Each structure stands twice: as C-alpha cells, then as structure tokens.
Amino acid sequence: MKKFCAILFSFVLIVVLALPVAAEGESGTLADTAPTLTAPAAYVVNLDTNIVVYEKNSETPLSAASLTKMMTTLLLLENYQDQLDTISLTAPSYIYDLIWEQSTNASTADIRRGETHSLRNLLYAMLLPSGNEAAYIVADYMGGGSIDSFVAMMNDEAAAIGCTGTTFVDPCGLNPNNITTARDAYLILRALTAYDIFATVVGTPTYDMGTNDRYVTPGTYILQNTDKLVTNSSYHRDYTKGGKTGSLGEWQNFAGWHSQDGESYISVLLNVPMESDPEGGRPALLETGTIMDWVFNTYTIAPALDTTQPITEVRVAYSTQADTVMLYPADNMMTLLPREGGSALTEQIFNVPDELGAPIKQGDIVGTVTLTIQGETIGTADLIAGSDISRNQLLYTISRISTFFSSTYFKVVVMLTMLAVGAYLIFAVGRILRIWGREA
C-alpha cells in the first residue's frame, strides 16, 4: 500500500528536489534551472501530492493587502454559500468613513451608500475588482454590525486552518497591519478551492452587476477581473484557473491556482516590487507566469514504480520448484517527479527477509520498498510475491529435524540430561561405596 506522508515531508522535499530560489544560496541541478524571482516570499505546492515544489521565505510575515479578502470570502461561503441569491445587503454609511480613513484611492466596485446587492454580487465585487466596500458590507452583516467582531472571526478561522503567521485587522486589506505568510495564504486559498462558486467567480474575466438607479441600462455595470492571468491579456496563462491579487504601495501580491494535464498547483507570491514590471504594473502576475511555466515544464505526476516488473528477488527454502521468488511492487506510487530522469533518479531501499520459506502464494506481502531521492524518503510500497511456490515436505522435515538438533533448546536438554545422569552416577557410586564400607 502506498504510504505518502507528503505534508509531513513537504519541507524535506524542498531540499530533496533542490528547488528553493537562490535567496538562501541553495544549489542543485533543478535549482540551477529555476527562474530568479524578485518576490521576497513565494510558495508553490502540487495539490495532487501536497509536495512543495518551490519555496522562498514562506514563513516570513508580510503585508497581505487584498489577499485579506480571501478570508472574508471564506467566511462568507462557509456560512452562506446556499443563500447567495436569497440574501441581499444594504451598504451602511459608516463603512465608507472607515475606508476613507485608510485610503483615498481604495479599489471599489462602485457600490454607493444605501445601495442594496445580493451576496452573489458582493462576492464578485470583492474578488474581481477587489471592492473594499463589498468586503466591509459583508463584514458588517456577519459581525452583527461590528467590524471588530468579524475581524475576530477572521483570525479564529485563520488559526483553525493552520495559519501561524497571519493577523487580520480589517476585512479588506487596506491596513498594512494585515499580515500573512506565503504558506498561510496557500492554506487559505486551498480552503477556498473546496467551493465551486469560488472557482467560478475568480475564473470569470467580467461580471454584470445588473441595473440600479445609476446603471439603468443593462450591460453597463460591468466588473473587471484584476487577475489578468485569466483575461485576454499579455499575462494570460491557459493553466491559471483563478486567484486573488493585492497591492499596497510599490508592490503586488498574487495567490492563484493552476491546472494543466490533470496536474494542479497553488502558487503564492508576496510583495513583488512594481519595478519588476515597469510597463504593465502587474509584477506578481508576471512572476507567477514565469515560475509556473518553469514548474509545468520541469515536473510531472508519474509512476515511480512499475507493478508489472519485478523489482528484486529473495531466496526460497523448502522447495525444489524454485530457488528464488520474484517480488513486485504492489503500487506504482504515483508522485511528483522531474520530467527529465523521472523514476531513474530515485533510490530503492528494501526491507525484505534474506530467505522465505515455502509454501508461498502469489500476492503474499513479503516486504516493502522505500523510495528516496538523494537520501530523503518520498514514499513506501509493499512488495508482493510474483508466483506460487510449493513446499517439498521431505526437505521441510529434514530442515526441521536439523534445526531441532542444532537448537539451543536441544542443547539445553542434552546438557540437563547429562547433568542428571552424572548426578545419578555420583549418587550410585557413593551409595555402593557406603555399602562396601559397612561390610568391611
């Protein structure tokens, strides 16, 4: 049986696969081909195996910016995913004062004070144009009129899903004191990918908000997705299925997920400086495309073992039918491997007996094989016998008799018997001598 411990070994596998970016001066064959990123923190995980394929300062707390809205979205969907069209909220006036206090240039979905929108509209408004007022409207509703109460919910949820370097202070990310790590942002996005509606929303280039008193003509209130990886732009990647942007000042964040040929990843890049993309102003998207192009070109999900081919053999005792039995892996151990070299880069460590006693049935589990890359474990599979081997009863009986006579038990019995005989002889001789003494 395949026994992947991917999450436990993910950080080990970073070293194993030699992928971290050169910020820490790591080296290795694959690292030599990795692109150089200006992002101060990054994290890329293969979702099929939970193996980390790229890591750079993933535990360093940095400003979350609008990635904060991913947590607001997660709480919304956890509680109201089935009521997106049946619940509508009216924008309270005070939230605009809170936004204005933090920024005079905050991104919005053009929702005005007193206007009413469905939760579905607010969901799109939060995620596509990164509308800060939409996030505050949701927070006001879920917090019972208290933004602080909602923020407490956000931090509780972050802790619940395993975030260790994340703190939220508002529901939208305008405050630079909203902090997260690349790894924590991955955990939040991974939780969101469980919701089909989230995938639909973030993969949508544009969304029609409908009509209201200001947008009376259908098709004029259109939201644009800030994630240009999914739009018709120079940043576009077919494999990107969606994500969330965020920026404050002179840098940009992006957390997204990607799928191609049945292989899926989540990527997070934090605080990528704007100077990395002076013309387009989308540095996190530019570098995400760069690193994900490299990942898809470098790695693939492939079998590390071939269940149709014997992997080793073991001597057989008590049989005239065969001297050895071939052992086959019980599982092909699908895992993430380099496209170049693949399973040939793995090393095999066998845990099998020196000899097996017949009879043996085809399919019997007789040991295990552990695969490593550069000495680090990536998985273990059972080894099974490849054929039936019958027992020769005469050989078995002779072996048992031989084993008995050479056993410690037999030696102890012989020794005790000899001691008993010796003691008896001593006693008998002594008794005879005493008799002779009396007669004399």
Side-chain angles (χ1 to χ4, degrees), residues 57-362:
N57 301 324
S58 63
E59 300 288 352
T60 301
L62 295 168
S63 184
S66 283
L67 295 191
T68 300
K69 296 183 178 78
M70 293 197 304
M71 179 55 72
T72 301
T73 298
L74 180 59
L75 290 173
L76 172 62
L77 294 180
E78 283 182 347
N79 290 276
Y80 300 106
Q81 63 168 323
D82 297 327
Q83 303 175 67
L84 297 179
D85 296 311
T86 58
I87 295 178
S88 294
L89 307 181
T90 300
S93 295
Y94 82 95
I95 66 168
Y96 293 90
D97 297 329
L98 295 177
I99 294 172
W100 184 264
E101 290 172 1
Q102 298 179 83
S103 174
T104 59
N105 192 33
S107 57
T108 76
D110 199 22
I111 300 172
R112 305 293 177 86
R113 302 170 191 256
E115 289 184 351
T116 299
H117 285 277
S118 67
L119 289 181
R120 185 178 299 275
N121 273 12
L122 293 172
L123 181 63
Y124 276 92
M126 274 196 294
L127 295 176
L128 267 60
S130 201
N132 291 289
E133 80 277 43
Y136 264 106
I137 293 168
V138 170
D140 170 78
Y141 176 70
M142 293 188 64
S146 170
I147 301 300
D148 289 342
S149 294
F150 182 77
V151 169
M153 294 168 59
M154 297 172 69
N155 288 311
D156 288 345
E157 182 68 14
I161 64 175
C163 298
T164 57
T166 294
T167 302
F168 297 116
V169 296
D170 70 31
C172 63
L174 282 175
N175 192 316
N177 292 324
N178 289 285
I179 62 169
T180 192
T181 68
R183 174 186 169 274
D184 286 359
Y186 150 75
L187 291 174
I188 298 170
L189 180 52
R190 187 181 68 178
L192 278 168
T193 58
Y195 297 93
D196 291 341
I197 181 59
F198 177 76
T200 298
V201 172
V202 294
T204 301
T206 62
Y207 176 72
D208 189 342
M209 291 279 280
T211 61
N212 60 23
D213 292 341
R214 293 182 299 111
Y215 292 93
V216 296
T217 303
T220 57
Y221 193 180
I222 304 297
L223 303 182
Q224 304 290 329
N225 197 333
T226 60
D227 176 10
K228 300 305 178 183
L229 290 169
V230 299
T231 66
N232 185 18
S233 73
S234 60
Y235 300 94
H236 179 81
R237 294 294 191 279
D238 287 339
Y239 54 68
T240 298
K241 303 309 174 185
K244 185 71 191 75
T245 59
S247 61
L248 284 175
E250 296 303 313
W251 49 260
Q252 184 185 46
N253 297 333
F254 182 69
W257 88 94
H258 322 273
S259 183
Q260 180 172 274
D261 299 329
E263 302 170 10
S264 298
Y265 295 84
I266 281 180
S267 68
V268 178
L269 273 66
L270 297 183
N271 291 199
V272 186
M274 288 294 182
E275 62 190 27
S276 299
D277 185 22
E279 295 184 4
R282 306 282 181 173
L285 302 182
L286 180 66
E287 293 203 344
T288 294
T290 299
I291 191 61
M292 292 311 304
D293 286 347
W294 177 77
V295 167
F296 279 115
N297 288 332
T298 303
Y299 291 97
T300 186
I301 302 295
L305 296 170
D306 185 349
T307 58
T308 68
Q309 297 297 320
I311 194 172
T312 189
E313 60 182 332
V314 176
R315 294 194 309 273
V316 175
Y318 321 135
S319 178
T320 56
Q321 179 182 346
D323 295 327
T324 63
V325 61
M326 294 295 183
L327 303 185
Y328 291 73
D331 192 282
N332 63 10
M333 200 181 294
M334 293 293 292
T335 189
L336 190 71
L337 293 172
R339 288 187 182 274
E340 298 296 328
S343 59
L345 297 177
T346 64
E347 297 179 4
Q348 301 166 351
I349 301 173
F350 296 102
N351 180 18
V352 294
D354 293 332
E355 187 176 70
L356 294 172
I360 300 170
K361 294 294 185 182
Q362 183 178 15

Side-chain angles (χ1 to χ4, degrees), residues 47-61:
L47 298 181
D48 308 291
T49 62
N50 290 322
I51 291 175
V52 178
V53 297
Y54 190 96
E55 188 274 344
K56 181 181 179 183
N57 301 324
S58 63
E59 300 288 352
T60 301

